[in-house]
Amino acid sequence: MSECVSANVSSVHALIPAELALIALLTALLAGLAGGLLIGRARELARRAAKLADRSRLTHTVLHDVRSPLISVHAIATSLLEADQVAPLGGVRAQLDSIKRCAELMEQLVSDLLDAERIGAGRLSLVHAPFRVSELVCGALATFAATAEARGVTINVMEEAGTHNWVIGDYRRLLQSLNNGLSNALKFSARGQRIALRVGCRSLAEGSVLLRIQVIDEGVGLSPEELAELGKNEAFTQVGLGKAQGNGGSGLELGIVRELLRMHHNSTLEISSNGHGRGTTFAINAYCKSATGVPPTDLQGSAA
């Protein structure tokens, strides 16, 4: 009996190394297979990344090449419109005005595409420098005062506490965000309506400040469904009359503004409306650094 037991134990011990060897072999084969798949996947991802990088460079180059002649066309049309000799020629003047407006629209589209391409490629960076809060108001009015007057829309500026303070932030990108709100407000406001531009600044903890910038119009307004659609933050999103009439732009601007603000110390954009025919509020909450303690020479030298 003991001999049988001993024989069985020996058999088991004899099988264990063989089973272990088989397991080791299978493990090695699976590891090799998985490694090969991972290497293949990595090569595919690298190939796709290289293709996307090439496409990004092509887009960037072409858009820059397209924008240069557009700027020239815009400048020529503007110069001719301002010339006294064109004044008597009503038909020519109207055509020049159309050229100028088309050039402006195309310039904006190209700029939006360039910004979207930079953001997508992770190449867009902000430039922070000291500026006075009130300069945002001046910059926006310089851009849209003539358009508002031509459309019979009044822009009322409401400067609250802190608007004459100096702060540190990216003035150009904050102005771009504000201009987007004012542009839309003017686009969807009727003659005789008003737009309120409200700007304020208050101090926060640890040397930070909050710029609260609101563009409040009396225009067509947005429904809850349209607000929800805009809240999805998807590229090329258009709602309301802009979508129906084809004058809502590329649909890129809002996404670009949100991304620019996010990059600016996690600043935010709020869009609200009480419904169709009851206007829209475009509110920017921009976080900046206080310029308190910055040498006066640096403040005076900052370009707003």
Side-chain angles (χ1 to χ4, degrees), residues 46-81:
R47 186 187 66 78
R48 291 183 183 181
K51 187 176 181 179
L52 287 173
D54 290 341
R55 186 182 301 172
S56 177
R57 282 193 293 270
L58 175 62
T59 301
H60 185 78
T61 302
V62 170
L63 288 176
H64 267 293
D65 289 345
V66 169
R67 184 167 62 173
S68 296
L70 281 175
I71 293 173
S72 298
V73 170
H74 186 193
I76 293 169
T78 301
S79 297
L80 289 173
L81 282 168

Coordinates of all heavy atoms in Angstrom, one line a residue, residues 46-81:
A46 N 1.3 56.7 -33.5 CA 2.3 57.7 -33.9 C 2.1 58.1 -35.3 O 2.3 59.3 -35.6 CB 3.7 57.0 -33.7
R47 N 1.7 57.2 -36.2 CA 1.4 57.6 -37.6 C 0.3 58.6 -37.6 O 0.3 59.5 -38.4 CB 1.1 56.3 -38.4 CG 0.9 56.5 -39.8 CD 0.4 55.3 -40.5 NE -0.9 54.9 -40.1 CZ -2.1 55.5 -40.6 NH1 -2.0 56.5 -41.5 NH2 -3.2 55.1 -40.1
R48 N -0.8 58.3 -36.8 CA -1.9 59.2 -36.8 C -1.5 60.6 -36.3 O -2.0 61.6 -36.8 CB -3.1 58.6 -36.0 CG -3.7 57.4 -36.6 CD -4.9 57.0 -35.8 NE -5.5 55.8 -36.3 CZ -6.6 55.2 -35.8 NH1 -7.1 55.7 -34.7 NH2 -7.1 54.1 -36.3
A49 N -0.7 60.6 -35.2 CA -0.3 61.9 -34.7 C 0.5 62.7 -35.7 O 0.4 63.9 -35.8 CB 0.5 61.6 -33.4
A50 N 1.4 62.0 -36.4 CA 2.2 62.6 -37.4 C 1.4 63.2 -38.5 O 1.6 64.3 -39.0 CB 3.3 61.7 -38.0
K51 N 0.3 62.4 -38.9 CA -0.6 62.9 -39.9 C -1.4 64.1 -39.5 O -1.5 65.1 -40.2 CB -1.6 61.8 -40.3 CG -2.5 62.1 -41.5 CD -3.3 60.9 -41.9 CE -4.2 61.2 -43.1 NZ -5.0 60.0 -43.4
L52 N -1.8 64.1 -38.2 CA -2.5 65.3 -37.7 C -1.6 66.5 -37.6 O -2.0 67.6 -37.8 CB -3.1 64.9 -36.3 CG -4.3 64.0 -36.3 CD1 -4.7 63.6 -34.9 CD2 -5.5 64.7 -37.0
A53 N -0.4 66.2 -37.2 CA 0.6 67.3 -37.1 C 0.8 68.0 -38.5 O 0.9 69.2 -38.6 CB 1.9 66.9 -36.5
D54 N 1.0 67.1 -39.5 CA 1.1 67.7 -40.8 C -0.1 68.5 -41.3 O 0.0 69.5 -41.9 CB 1.4 66.5 -41.8 CG 2.7 65.8 -41.6 OD1 3.6 66.5 -41.0 OD2 2.9 64.7 -42.1
R55 N -1.3 67.9 -41.0 CA -2.5 68.6 -41.3 C -2.6 70.0 -40.6 O -3.0 71.0 -41.1 CB -3.7 67.8 -41.0 CG -5.1 68.3 -41.4 CD -6.2 67.4 -41.0 NE -6.0 66.1 -41.6 CZ -6.8 65.1 -41.2 NH1 -7.8 65.2 -40.4 NH2 -6.6 63.9 -41.8
S56 N -2.2 70.0 -39.3 CA -2.2 71.2 -38.5 C -1.3 72.2 -39.1 O -1.6 73.4 -39.2 CB -1.8 70.9 -37.1 OG -1.8 72.1 -36.3
R57 N -0.1 71.8 -39.5 CA 0.9 72.7 -40.1 C 0.3 73.3 -41.4 O 0.5 74.5 -41.7 CB 2.2 72.0 -40.3 CG 3.1 71.9 -39.0 CD 4.5 71.5 -39.4 NE 4.6 70.2 -39.9 CZ 4.7 69.1 -39.2 NH1 4.8 69.1 -37.9 NH2 4.8 67.9 -39.8
L58 N -0.3 72.4 -42.2 CA -0.8 72.8 -43.5 C -1.9 73.9 -43.3 O -2.0 74.9 -43.9 CB -1.4 71.6 -44.3 CG -2.1 72.0 -45.6 CD1 -1.2 72.6 -46.6 CD2 -2.7 70.7 -46.1
T59 N -2.9 73.6 -42.3 CA -3.9 74.5 -42.0 C -3.4 75.8 -41.6 O -3.8 76.9 -42.0 CB -4.9 73.9 -40.9 OG1 -5.4 72.7 -41.4 CG2 -6.0 74.9 -40.6
H60 N -2.4 75.8 -40.7 CA -1.8 77.0 -40.1 C -1.2 77.9 -41.3 O -1.4 79.1 -41.3 CB -0.8 76.7 -39.1 CG -0.2 77.8 -38.4 ND1 -0.9 78.5 -37.3 CD2 1.0 78.5 -38.5 CE1 -0.1 79.5 -36.9 NE2 1.0 79.5 -37.6
T61 N -0.5 77.2 -42.1 CA 0.2 77.9 -43.2 C -0.7 78.5 -44.2 O -0.6 79.7 -44.6 CB 1.2 76.9 -43.9 OG1 2.1 76.4 -43.0 CG2 1.9 77.7 -45.1
V62 N -1.7 77.7 -44.6 CA -2.7 78.2 -45.6 C -3.5 79.4 -45.0 O -3.7 80.4 -45.7 CB -3.6 77.1 -46.0 CG1 -4.8 77.6 -46.9 CG2 -2.9 76.0 -46.8
L63 N -4.0 79.3 -43.8 CA -4.8 80.3 -43.2 C -4.0 81.6 -43.1 O -4.5 82.7 -43.3 CB -5.3 79.9 -41.8 CG -6.4 78.8 -41.9 CD1 -6.8 78.4 -40.5 CD2 -7.6 79.3 -42.6
H64 N -2.7 81.5 -42.7 CA -1.9 82.7 -42.7 C -1.7 83.3 -44.1 O -1.8 84.6 -44.2 CB -0.5 82.4 -42.1 CG -0.4 82.6 -40.6 ND1 -0.5 83.8 -40.0 CD2 -0.3 81.7 -39.6 CE1 -0.4 83.7 -38.7 NE2 -0.2 82.4 -38.4
D65 N -1.5 82.5 -45.1 CA -1.4 83.0 -46.4 C -2.7 83.6 -46.9 O -2.6 84.6 -47.7 CB -1.0 81.8 -47.4 CG 0.5 81.4 -47.1 OD1 1.2 82.1 -46.5 OD2 0.8 80.3 -47.6
V66 N -3.8 83.1 -46.5 CA -5.1 83.7 -46.9 C -5.4 85.0 -46.2 O -5.9 85.9 -46.8 CB -6.3 82.7 -46.6 CG1 -7.6 83.4 -46.8 CG2 -6.2 81.5 -47.6
R67 N -5.0 85.1 -44.9 CA -5.3 86.3 -44.2 C -4.5 87.5 -44.7 O -5.1 88.6 -44.7 CB -5.0 86.1 -42.7 CG -5.4 87.2 -41.8 CD -5.3 86.9 -40.3 NE -4.0 86.5 -39.9 CZ -3.7 86.3 -38.6 NH1 -4.7 86.4 -37.7 NH2 -2.5 86.0 -38.2
S68 N -3.3 87.3 -45.1 CA -2.5 88.5 -45.6 C -3.2 89.3 -46.7 O -3.3 90.5 -46.6 CB -1.1 88.0 -46.0 OG -0.4 87.5 -44.9
P69 N -3.6 88.7 -47.8 CA -4.3 89.5 -48.8 C -5.6 90.0 -48.4 O -6.0 91.1 -48.8 CB -4.5 88.5 -50.0 CG -4.3 87.1 -49.4 CD -3.4 87.3 -48.3
L70 N -6.3 89.3 -47.4 CA -7.5 89.9 -46.9 C -7.3 91.2 -46.2 O -8.1 92.1 -46.3 CB -8.2 88.8 -46.0 CG -8.9 87.7 -46.7 CD1 -9.4 86.7 -45.6 CD2 -10.1 88.2 -47.5
I71 N -6.3 91.2 -45.4 CA -5.9 92.4 -44.6 C -5.6 93.6 -45.6 O -6.1 94.7 -45.4 CB -4.7 92.2 -43.7 CG1 -5.2 91.2 -42.6 CG2 -4.3 93.5 -43.1 CD1 -4.0 90.8 -41.7
S72 N -4.9 93.3 -46.7 CA -4.6 94.3 -47.7 C -5.9 94.8 -48.4 O -6.1 96.0 -48.6 CB -3.7 93.7 -48.8 OG -2.5 93.3 -48.2
V73 N -6.8 93.9 -48.8 CA -8.1 94.3 -49.4 C -8.9 95.2 -48.4 O -9.5 96.2 -48.8 CB -8.9 93.0 -49.8 CG1 -10.3 93.4 -50.1 CG2 -8.3 92.3 -50.9
H74 N -8.9 94.8 -47.2 CA -9.6 95.6 -46.2 C -9.1 97.0 -46.1 O -9.8 98.0 -46.0 CB -9.6 94.8 -44.8 CG -10.4 95.5 -43.7 ND1 -10.2 95.2 -42.4 CD2 -11.3 96.4 -43.8 CE1 -11.1 95.9 -41.7 NE2 -11.8 96.7 -42.5
A75 N -7.7 97.0 -46.0 CA -7.1 98.3 -45.9 C -7.3 99.2 -47.1 O -7.6 100.4 -47.0 CB -5.6 98.1 -45.7
I76 N -7.3 98.6 -48.3 CA -7.5 99.4 -49.5 C -8.9 99.9 -49.6 O -9.2 101.1 -49.9 CB -7.2 98.5 -50.8 CG1 -5.7 98.2 -50.8 CG2 -7.6 99.2 -52.0 CD1 -5.3 97.2 -51.8
A77 N -9.9 99.1 -49.3 CA -11.3 99.5 -49.3 C -11.5 100.6 -48.3 O -12.3 101.6 -48.5 CB -12.2 98.3 -49.0
T78 N -10.9 100.5 -47.1 CA -11.1 101.5 -46.1 C -10.5 102.8 -46.5 O -11.1 103.9 -46.3 CB -10.4 101.0 -44.7 OG1 -11.0 99.8 -44.3 CG2 -10.6 102.1 -43.7
S79 N -9.3 102.8 -47.1 CA -8.7 104.0 -47.6 C -9.5 104.7 -48.7 O -9.7 105.9 -48.7 CB -7.3 103.7 -48.1 OG -6.5 103.2 -47.1
L80 N -10.1 103.9 -49.6 CA -10.9 104.5 -50.7 C -12.2 105.1 -50.1 O -12.6 106.1 -50.6 CB -11.2 103.4 -51.7 CG -10.0 103.0 -52.6 CD1 -10.3 101.8 -53.5 CD2 -9.5 104.2 -53.4
L81 N -12.8 104.4 -49.1 CA -14.0 104.9 -48.6 C -13.8 106.2 -47.8 O -14.7 107.0 -47.8 CB -14.6 103.8 -47.6 CG -15.3 102.7 -48.2 CD1 -15.6 101.6 -47.2 CD2 -16.6 103.1 -48.8

